[in-house]
């Protein structure tokens, strides 16, 4: 069980690790810090809702971990590859022009889904020196070989190849027709560097003009920005093999250390119970959907299914999700209305009488504990959303009753904010706390601390933090400013 309610103590987080096929306790390599790498898009087109699933899910993982840790989150852009080259040819643009446009569109479309930019979004074309030197190190150590201007990874040098997808080398060999490519020593060897075909974009290298293979990019960029071993490596399930398997082979054969401690993969997304595919013609891009539905509804539907289960995305589901959000919004509006209309003196009296509204707090504690218990159990977002609705029921019950203790109402309001900072399923509030209200809360916090009521003091601090209010201890007392 996690042990967090109002404070930001480190909880026991369990993560399902694809490598071990089991849930494991999450322990970052460096206390207080987390490094996270999620394979980003090949920027040849707009993102579709299938791409949006990992973007939204790992955004929530990052938000949740950020409550307790300093998270460095890297999502790369593959801005040169076959698809980009082909698309550029078809549209009469250069590869860099096409990539630039699609990266700008990606940032716009993900922002529309309330996905924050990663700490870093490195691009392949800006990491070429690191990619080439990574390949050169592999060649030097006999882990890769040049063949006709291409460079291949020598899988026979990495006996653990297949360990993430739980296949052994023999099984892998069996699956590949022998002799399909004479440039390779072994059919399962994979390309690290591709010789340029006439007219293609290229970079100079020790093996001639060419460009990197897809897998090596992630190994090189992860090492450049996050070091040899990252805490969490994520992506869609379709990346387990061959992409992540190849990343592991490249990095681990060179460093002798695990590439990632935890491997996380989200399951597929279907649209109206059908696999999305260009041939069926049911690919829905995120931009089109965001024109018709609110981002909160899209996030709510995405997060209503556990990330390791297939998700069925449908317009009915979006409507239901929006109905659910409306219930929460109504509840919050009633709460705000009550909070506004309770006179300040009454609030003051209540505070001294109730000592911070202790009467219904066990129920609220239970809801917050449930929320954290679910989030820290392998990011069980559907059950965490259930906790949000339990809070709605509890709040509606309290507001309908006579005992509308202002401290309790404020606490509920703060809880909605805390939960939503992680899930991002509620519309942004435009109302800010008034200056007098902030002064009053700070005074209440000072008194609570004097009375050794640290729970209440923490609650007020969190509530102010949620509103973007920063507190500073000065010799003249507490000062505050807006972020
Ligand atoms: Zn990758």
């Amino acid at each position: 069980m996690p042990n967090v309610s109002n404070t930001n103590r480190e909880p026991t987080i369990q993560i399902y690790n694809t490598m071990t096929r089991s849930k494991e306790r999450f322990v970052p390599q460096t206390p207080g810090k987390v490094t996270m790498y999620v394979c980003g898009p090949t920027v040849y087109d707009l993102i579709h809702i299938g791409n949006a699933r990992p973007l939204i899910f790992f955004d929530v993982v990052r938000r949740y971990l950020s409550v307790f840790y300093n998270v460095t989150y890297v999502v790369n852009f593959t801005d040169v590859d076959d698809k980009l080259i082909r698309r550029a040819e078809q549209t009469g643009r250069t590869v860099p022009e096409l990539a630039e446009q699609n990266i700008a569109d990606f940032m716009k479309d993900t922002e529309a889904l309330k996905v924050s930019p990663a700490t870093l979004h490195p691009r392949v074309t800006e990491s070429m020196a690191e990619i080439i030197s990574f390949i050169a190190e592999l060649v030097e150590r006999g882990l890769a070989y040049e063949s006709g201007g291409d460079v291949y990874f020598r899988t026979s040098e990495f006996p653990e190849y297949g360990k993430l997808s739980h296949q052994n080398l023999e099984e892998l060999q069996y699956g590949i027709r022998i002799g399909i490519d004479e440039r390779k020593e072994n059919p399962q060897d994979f390309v690290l560097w591709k010789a340029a075909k006439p007219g293609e974009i290229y970079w100079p290298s020790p093996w001639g003009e060419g460009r990197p293979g897809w897998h090596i990019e992630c190994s090189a960029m992860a090492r450049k920005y996050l070091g040899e071993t990252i805490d969490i490596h994520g992506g869609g399930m379709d990346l387990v093999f061959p992409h992540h398997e190849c990343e592991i082979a490249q990095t681990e054969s060179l460093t002798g250390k695990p590439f990632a401690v935890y491997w996380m993969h989200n399951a597929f997304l279907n649209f109206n119970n059908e696999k999305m595919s260009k041939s069926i013609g049911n690919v829905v891009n995120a931009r089109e959907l965001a024109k018709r539905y609110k981002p909160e509804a899209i996030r709510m539907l995405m997060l209503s299914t556990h990330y390791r289960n297939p998700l069925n995305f449908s317009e009915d589901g979006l409507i239901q999700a929006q109905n659910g959000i409306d219930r929460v919004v109504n509840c919050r509006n009633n709460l705000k209305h009550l909070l506004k209309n309770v006179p300040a003196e009454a609030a003051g009296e209540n505070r001294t009488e109730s000592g911070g509204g202790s009467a219904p707090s066990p129920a609220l504690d239970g809801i917050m504990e449930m929320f954290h218990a679910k989030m820290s159990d392998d990011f069980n977002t559907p059950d965490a959303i259930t906790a949000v609705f339990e809070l709605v029921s509890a709040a509606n019950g309290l507001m309908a009753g006579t005992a509308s203790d202002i401290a309790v109402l404020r606490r509920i309001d703060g809880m909605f904010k805390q939960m939503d900072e992680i899930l991002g399923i509620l519309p942004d509030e435009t109302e800010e706390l008034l200056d007098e209200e902030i002064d009053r809360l700070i005074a209440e916090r000072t008194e609570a601390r004097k009375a050794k009521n640290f729970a209440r003091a923490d609650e007020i601090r969190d509530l102010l933090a949620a509103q973007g209010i920063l507190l500073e201890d000065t010799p003249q007392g507490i000062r505050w400013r807006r972020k």
Side-chain angles (χ1 to χ4, degrees):
M1 278 292 287
N3 191 17
V4 277
S5 49
N6 292 305
T7 55
N8 292 350
R9 273 183 306 232
E10 188 171 338
T12 304
I13 296 176
Q14 301 279 332
I15 294 183
Y16 181 89
N17 191 346
T18 309
M19 184 66 84
T20 57
R21 287 178 167 170
S22 60
K23 277 189 205 170
E24 293 172 13
R25 184 180 173 166
F26 176 65
V27 183
Q29 300 168 88
T30 309
K33 288 186 180 163
V34 174
T35 52
M36 218 175 133
Y37 186 99
V38 170
C39 297
T42 300
V43 286
Y44 74 105
D45 208 343
L46 293 174
I47 54 165
H48 58 69
I49 55 164
N51 306 134
R53 188 177 192 190
L55 293 168
I56 291 174
F57 170 66
F58 286 107
D59 174 59
V60 169
V61 171
R62 179 230 203 151
R63 287 171 183 234
Y64 191 61
L65 293 175
S66 296
V67 175
F68 314 103
Y69 306 103
N70 184 344
V71 180
T72 307
Y73 181 40
V74 175
V75 177
N76 69 294
F77 288 128
T78 295
D79 59 348
V80 59
D81 96 319
D82 290 343
K83 286 189 195 126
L84 267 149
I85 291 172
R86 224 176 302 133
R87 184 63 60 92
E89 276 169 9
Q90 286 163 358
T91 55
R93 303 162 81 183
T94 65
V95 168
E97 278 168 4
L98 183 66
E100 201 60 52
Q101 175 64 51
N102 281 311
I103 288 172
D105 285 337
F106 173 93
M107 298 310 290
K108 212 192 283 172
D109 292 352
T110 49
E111 193 193 348
L113 295 171
K114 299 172 89 171
V115 171
S116 321
T119 320
L120 288 161
H121 282 290
R123 302 177 186 196
V124 170
T125 56
E126 291 170 356
S127 313
M128 215 45 90
E130 288 80 9
I131 293 170
I132 290 170
S133 76
F134 202 116
I135 300 172
E137 286 173 67
L138 289 169
V139 172
E140 210 170 286
R141 301 263 294 269
L143 299 162
Y145 56 93
E146 192 261 322
S147 174
D150 293 343
V151 180
Y152 295 94
F153 184 83
R154 187 172 271 134
T155 43
S156 60
E157 287 294 318
F158 189 68
E160 289 173 286
Y161 189 70
K163 68 178 173 178
L164 183 69
S165 52
H166 304 273
Q167 311 173 78
N168 62 40
L169 265 176
E170 279 163 31
E171 281 168 345
L172 286 168
Q173 263 163 343
Y174 187 76
I176 302 169
R177 274 198 301 138
I178 305 292
I180 205 160
D181 190 340
E182 285 172 359
R183 289 168 297 181
K184 296 184 192 179
E185 290 176 1
N186 272 305
Q188 71 273 17
D189 291 354
F190 54 89
V191 73
L192 303 173
W193 186 261
K194 294 179 184 182
K197 295 190 189 89
E200 275 184 3
I201 187 168
Y202 66 82
W203 283 259
S205 84
W207 318 284
E209 292 166 351
R211 60 193 160 87
W214 175 34
H215 315 308
I216 193 70
E217 301 165 359
C218 288
S219 283
M221 286 187 276
R223 182 171 74 162
K224 178 178 178 185
Y225 293 104
L226 300 174
E228 291 183 330
T229 301
I230 45 190
D231 288 311
I232 298 174
H233 194 323
M237 227 167 63
D238 51 330
L239 297 185
V240 173
F241 186 87
H243 185 54
H244 288 167
E245 203 74 76
C246 296
E247 288 182 12
I248 289 170
Q250 295 156 170
T251 299
E252 298 191 3
S253 63
L254 199 64
T255 65
K257 296 173 192 162
F259 181 33
V261 185
Y262 305 90
W263 287 88
M264 294 180 69
H265 295 97
N266 64 280
F268 299 111
L269 177 147
N270 290 326
F271 189 72
N272 289 333
N273 289 312
E274 267 186 325
K275 190 178 188 295
M276 273 202 315
S277 84
K278 291 229 161 75
S279 56
I280 302 175
N282 62 348
V283 177
V284 182
N285 75 42
R287 179 170 289 189
E288 283 308 310
L289 204 69
K291 280 183 192 155
R292 286 182 291 135
Y293 295 93
K294 292 185 180 151
E296 292 83 15
I298 297 172
R299 290 180 71 100
M300 174 82 117
L301 181 55
M302 287 277 185
L303 299 171
S304 297
T305 297
H306 192 274
Y307 77 96
R308 285 191 286 115
N309 290 332
L311 169 70
N312 186 37
F313 207 85
S314 68
E315 305 226 1
D316 283 350
L318 284 165
I319 292 163
Q320 271 178 32
Q322 186 59 52
N323 289 343
I325 292 165
D326 292 345
R327 268 182 62 204
V328 188
V329 171
N330 280 341
C331 172
R332 288 190 83 185
N333 287 344
N334 292 339
L335 196 66
K336 294 259 181 265
H337 181 77
L338 267 180
L339 280 169
K340 233 188 230 160
N341 292 294
V342 176
E345 313 86 68
E349 280 165 26
N350 239 320
R351 185 193 67 231
T352 39
E353 276 167 22
S354 66
S358 55
S361 283
L364 297 181
D365 284 345
I367 292 170
M368 206 62 218
E369 256 167 45
M370 172 185 166
F371 179 84
H372 279 291
K374 298 304 180 183
M375 281 308 297
S376 55
D377 179 13
D378 194 29
F379 310 98
N380 187 340
T381 54
D383 284 0
I385 290 171
T386 304
V388 176
F389 286 105
E390 289 202 2
L391 184 58
V392 170
S393 303
N396 288 342
L398 285 165
M399 288 189 286
T402 46
S404 41
D405 184 324
I406 190 143
V408 173
L409 297 179
R410 266 204 220 112
R411 169 143 189 235
I412 294 170
D413 192 41
M415 283 170 68
F416 277 125
K417 284 202 186 83
Q418 272 187 34
M419 291 174 169
D420 196 53
E421 262 169 30
I422 292 152
L423 299 171
I425 54 173
L426 301 179
D428 297 331
E429 287 184 291
T430 43
E431 280 187 1
E432 282 191 346
L433 281 178
L434 298 171
D435 289 7
E436 309 90 272
E437 211 175 340
I438 296 167
D439 289 334
R440 193 159 46 72
L441 281 167
I442 291 172
E444 187 187 337
R445 179 169 174 263
T446 309
E447 272 181 49
R449 287 173 72 169
K450 266 188 215 148
K452 300 213 183 315
N453 183 356
F454 296 112
R456 179 62 189 151
D458 282 353
E459 235 171 71
I460 295 173
R461 185 203 56 209
D462 292 349
L463 200 146
L464 291 171
Q467 291 271 351
I469 310 293
L470 300 175
L471 301 184
E472 287 163 11
D473 266 308
T474 71
Q476 289 79 35
I478 306 276
R479 290 264 179 87
W480 64 268
R481 61 186 171 85
R482 293 182 199 273
K483 244 192 267 185

